[in-house]
Amino acid sequence: MKKYEIVNEIVESGVVAVIRAESKEQGKKIIEAVKAGGIKALEITLTVPGAVDIIRELVEEYKDEEVIIGAGTVLDPESARACILAGAKYIVSPYFDPETVKICNRYAVPVMPGVMTPREAVMALEAGVDILKVFPAEAFGPSIIGAFKGPLPQGNYMPTGGVDLDNVKDWIAKGAVAVGVGSVLTKGAKTGDYENVTATARKFVEAVKEARKALK
């Protein structure tokens, strides 16, 4: 899959599941639950034990299915390259690091670095970033998307942190091309309630669809 195709798939999906887990076993259970709920974009954070190995296993396991497996909490180019070689289809970072973006561009892999200021957003755009991760989004709320799009309408913004079922429609209405959702989505896993994770995933997917319909 080409870089632009991956970006388009993420935008079309509208929801990126940020998956953190205490073990490889729990991580795979969360992934199955989220996938069953209809979310295609799965972000395996490097805080998960054995994350690179999990990415490699999942890419192979789901190679014939419509899921896009990426790596999150990537802090440096070395980690980005390891994830890319393991098969990660996109890279997500909590901050903008030019060298990490550079190596992702070298391998033609989409990268979504965290930004929180217009300066960071412009630097990321100049470096060739396709989707800007607004992080931590809860620090400002949905209005931050409109604030960014005023001077920088050419940017594609994906808020992460603080996105929940009560405000996801507001984020989309303000212009977010997708949302990153973590603990709110996967909290059921803490008690072994993976059916709750699946149900929550379905609600997020439906909420994004409804919000987009309202914009037409």
Side-chain angles (χ1 to χ4, degrees), residues 51-126:
V52 175
D53 290 334
I54 292 176
I55 291 169
R56 183 178 292 106
E57 291 175 16
L58 292 174
V59 168
E60 177 61 27
E61 186 172 343
Y62 297 120
K63 62 183 179 182
D64 298 322
E65 298 187 36
E66 293 185 355
V67 294
I68 313 165
I69 297 166
T73 321
V74 178
L75 303 181
D76 49 62
E78 294 82 7
S79 298
R81 184 174 185 273
C83 292
I84 291 168
L85 294 180
K89 296 295 185 276
Y90 59 92
I91 300 295
V92 184
S93 176
Y95 77 113
F96 171 66
D97 174 55
E99 291 304 312
T100 298
V101 172
K102 183 177 180 180
I103 200 162
C104 290
N105 287 338
R106 180 179 300 159
Y107 288 97
V109 171
V111 56
M112 295 178 274
V115 301
M116 188 42 75
T117 67
R119 175 179 172 80
E120 291 174 334
V122 170
M123 290 173 66
L125 289 170
E126 289 177 346

Side-chain angles (χ1 to χ4, degrees), residues 21-28 48-49 54:
E22 297 175 359
S23 66
K24 182 185 294 187
E25 292 70 26
Q26 185 190 52
K28 294 189 76 169
V48 177
I54 292 176

Side-chain angles (χ1 to χ4, degrees), residues 20-55:
R20 293 186 173 87
E22 297 175 359
S23 66
K24 182 185 294 187
E25 292 70 26
Q26 185 190 52
K28 294 189 76 169
K29 288 179 181 179
I30 293 174
I31 289 161
E32 284 292 339
V34 168
K35 188 170 70 72
I39 295 179
K40 296 180 180 180
L42 310 175
E43 176 191 328
I44 315 302
T45 69
L46 293 193
T47 55
V48 177
V52 175
D53 290 334
I54 292 176
I55 291 169

Side-chain angles (χ1 to χ4, degrees), residues 7 11 15 17 26 42 44 57 68 75 83 92-93 105 114 124 129 138 145-146 148 161 164 172-173 206-207 210 213:
V7 172
V11 172
V15 183
Q26 185 190 52
L42 310 175
I44 315 302
E57 291 175 16
I68 313 165
L75 303 181
C83 292
V92 184
S93 176
N105 287 338
V129 171
E138 67 263 40
I145 301 297
F148 269 122
D164 56 37
I172 298 298
E206 189 58 35
E210 290 178 2
K213 286 181 182 178

